[in-house]
């Protein structure tokens, strides 16, 4: 899990474990906004788990 804002992913839409759905990460926490997955979606991450940025 990430400890600082510099280690968290940017705000944006991320795939969920529900096939074909994405959830919005506001840069701090998960929102309640969902949408249909877009073409070229990123690798799915677990709900409630901070996405990590890799360099």
């Amino acid at each position: 899990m990430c400890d600082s804002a510099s280690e968290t992913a940017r705000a944006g839409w991320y795939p969920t474990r529900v096939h074909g759905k994405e959830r919005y990460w506001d840069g701090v926490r998960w929102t309640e906004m969902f949408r249909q997955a877009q073409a070229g979606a990123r690798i799915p991450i677990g709900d409630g788990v901070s996405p990590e940025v890799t360099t």
Side-chain angles (χ1 to χ4, degrees), residues 25-52:
W25 172 257
D26 69 7
V28 177
R29 67 186 60 85
W30 290 110
T31 69
E32 294 303 317
M33 296 185 293
F34 290 86
R35 72 175 186 184
Q36 287 299 115
Q38 304 297 302
R42 300 176 193 130
I43 298 171
I45 56 177
D47 289 330
V49 177
S50 298
E52 295 181 16

Side-chain angles (χ1 to χ4, degrees), residues 12-29:
W13 293 98
Y14 291 88
T16 66
R17 293 179 186 207
V18 177
H19 182 69
K21 296 288 183 180
E22 294 177 325
R23 189 172 186 182
Y24 194 77
W25 172 257
D26 69 7
V28 177
R29 67 186 60 85

